């Protein structure tokens, strides 16, 4: 910032995010209606080909909203309510809990017992062969859901209860209106999209140490168009209050800080290398023993 103070001008809400999220919710509602009378094989097909992409993209919209990118820091609660709305087509309550744990990830990256992005000792010990690592990728959404309860359980907040009740009401309404196939499409899209899917390469690409000494990596490939530029991950951790839309400008302005860092151009290749490289496993993360006072959400 001392060298490039113009970056401060990028620290403002991205109001376009609001309309993109609304359109994504409407797209999924349309899909729920269209699949209700299809054969099961086509429900599964469209859940993976279309629903999974929208669902994973929506989780990254929720990531943006967790950083108050939709309405700005001065309207923090507007962002929380909007996150609950964005959560609806995923089928499972996610937004409020994600925000609580994700802020810890930014404040205490790799913090032992705090950062739940770090796999558990069981994951590192058991998923150590190529076949088991493949299964671990398939089951990634389940580990991301269970891991916080094992590593850093937090008391349930009022907003989390509201998130849960709103999600249950939405799911019941979808089932009542359009039946079980629409519910299956919704839930299958979320599970498949966060598991064995090209976009899921970002889970591993972001912080797994393929090169010693580098614990955060950026990805500059085309899938950033579907993921609100989450691939610009070094830039995001340097400036978490800059919306994803503006992160390419950060890289352009401060190119001397980012161009020479290790980077990826294919998340599919990241998934392949993770499975096939016997030196890489869920253990391949930087873990720190935190000192001093720890403040969590």
């Amino acid at each position: 910032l001392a060298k490039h103070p113009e970056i401060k001008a990028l620290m403002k809400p991205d109001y376009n995010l609001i309309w993109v999220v609304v359109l994504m919710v409407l797209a999924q509602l349309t899909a729920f209606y269209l699949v209700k009378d299809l054969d099961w094989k086509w429900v599964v097909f469209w859940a993976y080909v279309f629903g999974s992409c929208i669902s994973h993209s929506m989780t990254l919209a929720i990531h943006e909203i967790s950083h108050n990118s939709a309405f700005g820091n001065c309207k923090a609660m507007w962002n929380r309510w909007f996150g609950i709305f964005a959560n609806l087509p995923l089928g499972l309550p996610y937004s409020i809990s994600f925000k609580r744990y994700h802020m810890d990830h930014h404040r205490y990256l790799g913090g032992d017992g705090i950062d739940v992005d770090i796999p558990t000792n069981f994951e590192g010990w058991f998923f150590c062969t190529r076949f088991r690592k493949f299964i671990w990728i398939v089951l990634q959404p389940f580990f991301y859901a269970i891991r916080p309860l094992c590593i850093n359980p937090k008391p349930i907040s009022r907003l989390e209860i509201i998130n849960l009740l709103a999600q249950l009401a939405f799911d019941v309404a979808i089932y009542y209106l359009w039946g079980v196939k629409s519910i299956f499409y919704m839930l299958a899209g979320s599970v498949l999209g966060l598991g064995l899917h090209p976009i899921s390469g970002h889970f591993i690409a972001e912080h797994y140490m393929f090169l010693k000494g580098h614990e955060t990596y950026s990805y500059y490939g085309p899938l950033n168009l579907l993921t609100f530029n989450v691939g610009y991950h070094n830039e995001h951790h340097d400036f978490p209050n800059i919306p994803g839309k503006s992160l390419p400008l950060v890289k352009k302005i401060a190119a001397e800080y980012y161009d020479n860092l290790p980077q990826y151009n294919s998340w599919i290749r990241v998934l392949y290398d993770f499975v096939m490289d016997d030196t890489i496993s869920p253990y391949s993360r930087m873990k720190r023993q935190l000192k001093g006072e720890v403040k969590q959400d």
Side-chain angles (χ1 to χ4, degrees):
L1 283 176
K3 189 172 182 180
H4 299 287
E6 64 270 31
I7 288 177
K8 292 181 180 179
L10 303 176
M11 299 175 182
K12 58 184 179 181
D14 173 16
Y15 295 116
N16 288 331
L17 176 64
I18 300 169
W19 305 114
V20 171
V21 168
V22 170
L23 288 174
M24 289 170 69
V25 171
L26 292 176
Q28 279 293 70
L29 285 173
T30 303
F32 296 160
Y33 173 77
L34 293 175
V35 303
K36 67 184 179 68
D37 296 320
L38 294 181
D39 289 340
W40 277 105
K41 62 182 179 183
W42 289 112
V43 176
V44 174
F45 174 82
W46 287 114
Y48 187 77
V49 172
F50 183 76
S52 63
C53 296
I54 295 291
S55 291
H56 200 139
S57 183
M58 189 63 86
T59 67
L60 295 167
I62 290 172
H63 166 255
E64 287 285 290
I65 296 166
S66 76
H67 286 282
N68 294 334
S69 292
F71 296 98
N73 292 321
C74 61
K75 295 181 178 178
M77 280 305 299
W78 287 37
N79 289 280
R80 302 293 77 74
W81 296 122
F82 192 56
I84 292 173
F85 168 75
N87 194 152
L88 295 177
L90 296 178
L92 297 170
Y94 166 81
S95 177
I96 299 300
S97 296
F98 173 80
K99 187 261 190 301
R100 297 180 73 194
Y101 284 103
H102 188 65
M103 294 305 102
D104 294 340
H105 170 69
H106 274 274
R107 294 190 189 111
Y108 308 110
L109 180 62
D112 189 18
I114 302 295
D115 184 0
V116 299
D117 196 54
I118 299 290
T120 62
N121 288 330
F122 169 78
E123 291 172 77
W125 167 77
F126 185 77
F127 296 100
C128 57
T129 67
R130 293 180 180 181
F131 176 72
R132 291 180 185 179
K133 286 191 288 183
F134 175 80
I135 297 301
W136 184 74
I137 290 173
V138 172
L139 298 178
Q140 229 169 165
F142 298 102
F143 287 110
Y144 269 87
I146 295 170
R147 196 182 295 147
L149 304 177
C150 300
I151 294 179
N152 186 19
K154 297 184 178 185
I156 296 176
S157 69
R158 180 179 64 91
L159 279 177
E160 283 175 306
I161 294 173
I162 294 172
N163 194 176
L164 172 62
L165 294 176
Q167 192 63 58
L168 287 174
F170 178 82
D171 294 352
V172 169
I174 295 298
Y175 177 77
Y176 178 78
L177 290 172
W178 298 320
V180 69
K181 289 182 180 178
S182 296
I183 290 291
F184 176 86
Y185 167 88
M186 175 169 55
L187 296 175
S190 297
V191 172
L192 294 171
L194 296 169
L196 187 62
H197 194 281
I199 298 177
S200 293
H202 81 87
F203 288 129
I204 293 170
E206 290 167 359
H207 296 297
Y208 281 77
M209 293 181 65
F210 283 82
L211 294 174
K212 288 186 177 180
H214 296 275
E215 64 173 303
T216 303
Y217 301 77
S218 287
Y219 157 83
Y220 300 122
L223 289 177
N224 277 310
L225 295 172
L226 296 176
T227 59
F228 302 90
N229 286 327
V230 76
Y232 287 76
H233 217 64
N234 277 298
E235 296 85 345
H236 173 59
H237 272 269
D238 285 347
F239 302 102
N241 55 343
I242 293 180
K245 181 186 75 171
S246 300
L247 292 179
L249 286 175
V250 173
K251 182 179 183 297
K252 183 178 180 180
I253 292 169
E256 69 272 25
Y257 291 99
Y258 299 111
D259 284 354
N260 295 322
L261 294 176
Q263 57 191 249
Y264 299 114
N265 291 304
S266 171
W267 278 334
I268 296 175
R269 182 57 189 265
V270 169
L271 292 172
Y272 177 84
D273 288 346
F274 177 80
V275 171
M276 300 305 293
D277 189 338
D278 294 333
T279 66
I280 302 295
S281 76
Y283 269 143
S284 301
R285 293 287 300 264
M286 177 68 74
K287 183 185 284 190
R288 296 178 174 83
Q289 297 296 325
L290 297 176
K291 298 179 181 180
E293 184 179 5
V294 174
K295 296 181 179 180
Q296 301 182 63
D297 283 351

